[in-house]
Amino acid sequence: MTTPAIGTTTWVVADGYIPPGSTGPAPAMTSHDSICMLNAGSDPAHVTIEVFYTDREPVGPYELTVPARRAHHQRINDLRGPEPILPGIDYCLVIRSDRPLVVQHTRLDSRQAENALMSTIAYPASL
């Protein structure tokens, strides 16, 4: 079955911050940022993520694949190579794909027992 791709190939998350500290059982309640990607198309999407900081050079690319007609939820805390993204540090993401995607950014802040969850669509950049 052929399904049309939706979204765009470049996305920006301008408010990255992994809250330091957590309450509640891990891993479900570990404070984290994540990007949720939808590949509605018929071909796998090869994705690169570049991380920008306020006080040092960018890091990346981090590479992953989102299979055709699938969703992929990637915790930023779990990205390891080329280096981990540390909690408590402001960052921004540029997400590029060879196929159109839809990207949403979510943060769970569980530093207090009264948890906070924030989610927003990433910025769809047109190049």
Side-chain angles (χ1 to χ4, degrees):
M1 175 179 174
T2 300
T3 56
I6 58 173
T8 191
T9 57
T10 303
W11 293 86
V12 178
V13 172
D15 180 28
Y17 181 80
I18 301 168
S22 303
T23 60
M29 297 310 295
T30 300
S31 292
H32 66 272
D33 273 9
S34 65
I35 49 175
C36 307
M37 296 168 279
L38 169 64
N39 178 5
S42 296
D43 297 306
H46 301 96
V47 177
T48 61
I49 302 166
E50 191 170 12
V51 182
F52 291 81
Y53 295 99
T54 58
D55 59 352
R56 59 187 170 119
E57 288 299 307
V59 176
Y62 298 82
E63 298 179 355
L64 54 95
T65 299
V66 180
R69 297 184 302 277
R70 296 291 186 268
H72 178 76
H73 295 237
Q74 178 63 55
R75 282 192 183 196
I76 302 305
N77 308 43
D78 294 340
L79 294 173
R80 294 290 175 248
E83 66 183 47
I85 300 169
L86 300 176
I89 307 289
D90 295 331
Y91 67 87
C92 302
L93 303 175
V94 175
I95 302 149
R96 292 185 175 93
S97 173
D98 64 348
R99 302 279 185 240
L101 299 173
V102 175
V103 178
Q104 184 170 334
H105 173 242
T106 302
R107 176 174 302 135
L108 172 65
D109 186 345
S110 69
R111 290 177 286 183
Q112 302 178 54
E114 298 79 20
N115 297 312
L117 183 67
M118 179 274 304
S119 189
T120 185
I121 193 78
Y123 175 77
S126 299
L127 300 178

